[in-house]
Amino acid sequence: MDEDMLRCVTEQGFAARTLPLPLYVRAHAEVLVPAADAGERLDLRAADIPLLDVAVAADRRGALRQLVERAAVLRIIRSGRGSLRGSLRDSDGDSGAGARDGSPPAVGAGDSHDEAVARAIYLELARRRAESGIEKGTLITGRDPAGGPEGVALRGVDGRIDCYLLGETAGVPAVGAVLRLDRLERPLCAVVCDLWERRGVERAVQAVLREFVVTTLPRREDTDRAPFPYGDFHDVVAVGETDFEVLTPRPPRDETGELRDRLRLHGHRARVRVLGPADRTALVACRLEPTAKSEPSTESEPVKRPTTDTEDDWRPRDVAALGLRAPRQLSLTYERDDVRIGRVYHENSKMRTAYGTLPVVDIAEMSPPARRLLGQAYRDFGHARRQYPMRPAGRPRLLTLDQVVRRRRSWAAMGDGELTRAELAHLLTLSYGTTGAAVAGQDLRLPLRATPSAGGLYSSDLFVLVDRVSGVEPGLYYFHPGKRLLQLVDDERTLAEVAEYTGYRERAGEAAAMVVYVGAFRRNQWKYRERGYRTVLLDCGHLAQSVVTTATSLGLVAHPMIAFVDDYFNAYVGVDGVEDAVLYLTLLGPRRTGDEAA
């Protein structure tokens, strides 16, 4: 489980946070940050967050596992026990003399002890292979239809990723990846070791993507460019080609046993120390040392690091020490639980297998009453004691579309005057009035309106809370789009009273009227089921934009507002908040005389 990996990070005194990647990068990234920056809070200051390390993998679990390993290495270094000298045991349980230099051991994490040991050995072997100098390799081809491994990592970019077999280290195959992009100052490289060569290709691609992500992160001005961790082997000479399909098809049945045998054959042994609990994520430190009696090895000799116990001679890829910081959007994030329900809804409202998840709707097979019902997408307060016709005479003088787009501002100053009844009539008619009809079947004419709607079902209703409109008494009205009437719903509350239940009380109090949008979910969920909730919200958004655009063209101010107390407004309008609910508000008012500013 991801939570086990995440817990292992926090138990080591750090925190992990998801790093948004460009859409052309097909991977998942997590960053290691100080524990104090664990909370994904809304921080409008966009404060700097130091990054201790970056991990890139195919999914979140893989990235978190890398952070577990790097957190352990960083903790070892900061504890001053860089080499864990004398504290490691080999795979047979014998205590060793420890490291011959001061570098930290490789650390591996996995679901089992054996998996963690294998990962640690692979990391140590890759480090040695990178240090030994890389001049030639065998190009790997045929990874995907594009002819290389970049198809699994990048899309739509001007460049490529080349992967190579780079020989063996202690009998274990090494795979290198080189990322070449035209806009990069230099190619990026990464090398991994893995008995399963196909997995090695995937890991090498993810490793080089990590280097690419690091180059894109902001850096403090007082720090130099990070040293290249893998050695710069982008000019490796391809001495041949091999198809991806002929690489080792699967890992050995006993991977750690095979690794141990190959290490012994090449004169090495692995010394291991358990760092983490075995009942959750296994975490081990590992170092390779020569055996007393070594057999000949065909691998190139690695460059030796100086023998020292000081922590500063070698560091893990700890980018915090190199001055990297999180991108600004990382501080504008949230806890996953804050949006869990929304994500569950979105997942359940997806349409799958074409239209197979929706019922097939054939209007011709409906009964005549059912067909007529489709054309009656409105409410009717026909017995209201006050009704006002909304059929304006003549055509209003409207701003051009260019003027509307440039002039529209939600916070434009409102004047103290009234809206005219004609202005309100034009606004409602041009934004949601019936503008025509469509023939559906032999006996059905569906009304068409000024605003689009999913399936022509018109799942939104308009209510208008009038305060200062000439010729219309204050109160809450329903706009009947077919009859073009304002029908009284409630006149016991004033706009000033209702404004108390919005997030901008003073601004709402300036308005001459307030448009209230009500979603009628039953009106389209019979057809679209779970996806119907999406369409209701989309319909409401279309309608609100029509209201705002039309109001601006009439020279009025329209201020959309989502800050309101749902239960209060649902009760005020008279809906239950389940089958029907208030979704949105728009404040309307005359533009202040002489005010043309944004």
Side-chain angles (χ1 to χ4, degrees):
M1 297 292 291
D2 293 354
E3 296 305 318
D4 290 339
M5 291 291 179
L6 188 59
R7 189 182 304 112
C8 197
V9 172
T10 57
E11 287 176 350
Q12 297 186 83
F14 302 97
R17 295 179 64 172
T18 299
L19 177 67
L21 292 180
L23 293 179
Y24 56 81
V25 179
R26 293 180 174 180
H28 183 90
E30 294 281 330
V31 292
L32 191 69
V33 298
D37 294 297
E40 296 193 353
R41 62 193 179 281
L42 178 65
D43 187 353
L44 297 179
R45 299 168 301 169
D48 280 345
I49 297 175
L51 301 189
L52 307 180
D53 213 327
V54 180
V56 174
D59 52 31
R60 184 171 185 248
R61 179 171 179 75
L64 287 174
R65 176 161 53 185
Q66 294 177 28
L67 288 193
V68 170
E69 296 166 346
R70 291 164 188 175
V73 173
L74 188 58
R75 184 165 57 94
I76 290 170
I77 290 177
R78 291 182 174 178
S79 70
R81 297 181 295 118
S83 65
L84 291 181
R85 186 181 298 274
S87 62
L88 303 178
R89 294 181 178 273
D90 65 22
S91 56
D92 296 324
D94 294 332
S95 177
R100 291 183 303 172
D101 58 43
S103 65
V107 174
D111 294 329
S112 67
H113 175 80
D114 284 350
E115 182 183 10
V117 171
R119 284 184 58 85
I121 292 175
Y122 287 145
L123 290 171
E124 178 64 17
L125 290 176
R127 188 165 70 188
R128 294 187 177 208
R129 185 69 188 96
E131 291 174 341
S132 67
I134 299 171
E135 298 178 353
K136 60 184 179 180
T138 302
L139 181 66
I140 301 173
T141 61
R143 176 64 183 88
D144 57 36
E150 62 270 17
V152 301
L154 299 171
R155 62 177 179 181
V157 299
D158 191 11
R160 70 183 193 277
I161 298 176
D162 293 321
C163 288
Y164 301 86
L165 289 177
L166 303 175
E168 295 183 344
T169 297
V172 178
V175 179
V178 180
L179 170 60
R180 297 178 174 91
L181 293 177
D182 290 348
R183 293 181 178 85
L184 277 182
E185 182 179 336
R186 63 181 180 182
L188 302 177
C189 309
V191 61
V192 302
C193 287
D194 203 308
L195 287 176
W196 186 8
E197 294 170 335
R198 293 189 187 183
R199 183 175 61 190
V201 170
E202 305 295 339
R203 290 179 53 215
V205 169
Q206 293 164 9
V208 82
L209 283 180
R210 180 220 179 249
E211 300 311 310
F212 173 67
V213 170
V214 168
T215 66
T216 66
L217 293 173
R219 189 183 305 276
R220 293 200 308 264
E221 296 180 358
D222 59 344
T223 57
D224 299 326
R225 181 180 297 277
F228 206 59
Y230 293 106
D232 194 354
F233 60 90
H234 69 271
D235 55 352
V236 58
V237 176
V239 296
E241 295 184 357
T242 185
D243 192 280
F244 178 82
E245 295 301 324
V246 304
L247 300 180
T248 309
R250 60 185 63 87
R253 185 182 301 272
D254 180 8
E255 190 170 1
T256 53
E258 179 69 19
L259 272 174
R260 182 179 63 245
D261 292 343
R262 295 199 186 191
L263 290 176
R264 285 177 175 174
L265 179 63
H266 290 81
H268 296 285
R269 61 181 175 183
R271 296 196 177 276
V272 177
R273 179 190 178 191
V274 176
L275 301 178
D279 58 332
R280 293 200 304 271
T281 300
L283 184 63
V284 303
C286 178
R287 182 179 299 284
L288 301 184
E289 294 183 347
T291 57
K293 183 177 181 180
S294 300
E295 298 193 20
S297 174
T298 59
E299 65 185 358
S300 57
E301 285 297 321
V303 176
K304 299 295 192 297
R305 289 187 297 269
T307 300
T308 176
D309 285 332
T310 63
E311 140 183 6
D312 294 327
D313 285 311
W314 185 89
R315 285 183 177 273
R317 293 189 294 280
D318 176 8
V319 295
L322 304 173
L324 289 185
R325 62 184 184 197
R328 293 298 187 186
Q329 71 266 29
L330 194 63
S331 61
L332 297 176
T333 50
Y334 42 77
E335 297 289 353
R336 290 177 180 270
D337 285 344
D338 294 341
V339 295
R340 188 177 302 277
I341 298 301
R343 291 183 177 182
V344 170
Y345 148 69
H346 190 77
E347 184 64 28
N348 283 278
S349 68
K350 288 180 179 177
M351 187 179 294
R352 296 179 172 86
T353 62
Y355 298 96
T357 54
L358 297 179
V360 177
V361 177
D362 188 346
I363 294 179
E365 295 182 358
M366 290 182 173
S367 65
R371 288 200 297 270
R372 286 194 294 271
L373 212 78
L374 295 179
Q376 299 173 0
Y378 46 74
R379 306 171 193 270
D380 194 345
F381 294 81
H383 298 286
R385 66 175 181 271
R386 287 202 302 267
Q387 298 190 56
Y388 296 93
M390 292 283 109
R391 297 177 179 269
R395 294 188 176 183
R397 178 178 295 179
L398 303 176
L399 299 177
T400 66
L401 179 61
D402 180 80
Q403 291 173 315
V404 169
V405 172
R406 296 177 183 278
R407 194 179 191 191
R408 189 219 65 79
R409 293 294 184 272
S410 298
W411 283 91
M414 293 183 185
D416 296 331
E418 297 179 328
L419 300 182
T420 68
R421 179 170 164 180
E423 287 173 331
L424 184 58
H426 282 305
L427 172 65
L428 296 175
T429 300
L430 293 177
S431 59
Y432 213 36
T434 300
T435 57
V439 178
Q442 297 180 351
D443 60 348
L444 177 62
R445 292 178 62 84
L446 291 176
L448 301 178
R449 301 193 196 173
T451 293
S453 172
L457 300 175
Y458 300 101
S459 60
S460 293
D461 288 311
L462 279 185
F463 292 76
V464 183
L465 174 54
V466 171
D467 185 60
R468 304 191 312 274
V469 177
S470 61
V472 180
E473 293 187 44
L476 177 68
Y477 294 84
Y478 172 69
F479 173 61
H480 193 300
K483 298 178 180 179
R484 296 189 184 182
L485 290 174
L486 277 186
Q487 299 174 326
L488 181 66
V489 177
D490 182 276
D491 61 356
E492 295 182 358
R493 282 177 261 197
T494 66
L495 190 148
E497 292 175 306
V498 173
E500 296 288 334
Y501 294 88
T502 70
Y504 299 94
R505 179 182 59 187
E506 293 183 3
R507 177 64 170 173
E510 297 174 0
M514 175 189 292
V515 179
V516 181
Y517 306 84
V518 174
F521 300 113
R522 184 182 292 273
R523 201 174 291 168
N524 77 1
Q525 285 185 324
W526 66 269
K527 178 178 180 180
Y528 294 110
R529 303 295 169 89
E530 290 286 18
R531 198 172 179 84
Y533 186 69
R534 282 201 208 188
T535 66
V536 172
L537 299 183
L538 292 171
D539 284 358
C540 180
H542 294 321
L543 179 53
Q545 177 63 14
S546 293
V547 169
V548 169
T549 301
T550 304
T552 306
S553 70
L554 289 166
L556 307 177
V557 176
H559 186 161
M561 181 180 294
I562 200 171
F564 59 89
V565 180
D566 289 72
D567 291 343
Y568 175 86
F569 273 85
N570 287 331
Y572 176 44
V573 172
V575 295
D576 62 7
V578 179
E579 298 288 351
D580 308 274
V582 176
L583 301 176
Y584 207 19
L585 309 175
T586 297
L587 306 177
L588 298 174
R591 186 175 290 265
R592 180 182 297 170
T593 304
D595 181 73
E596 302 296 331

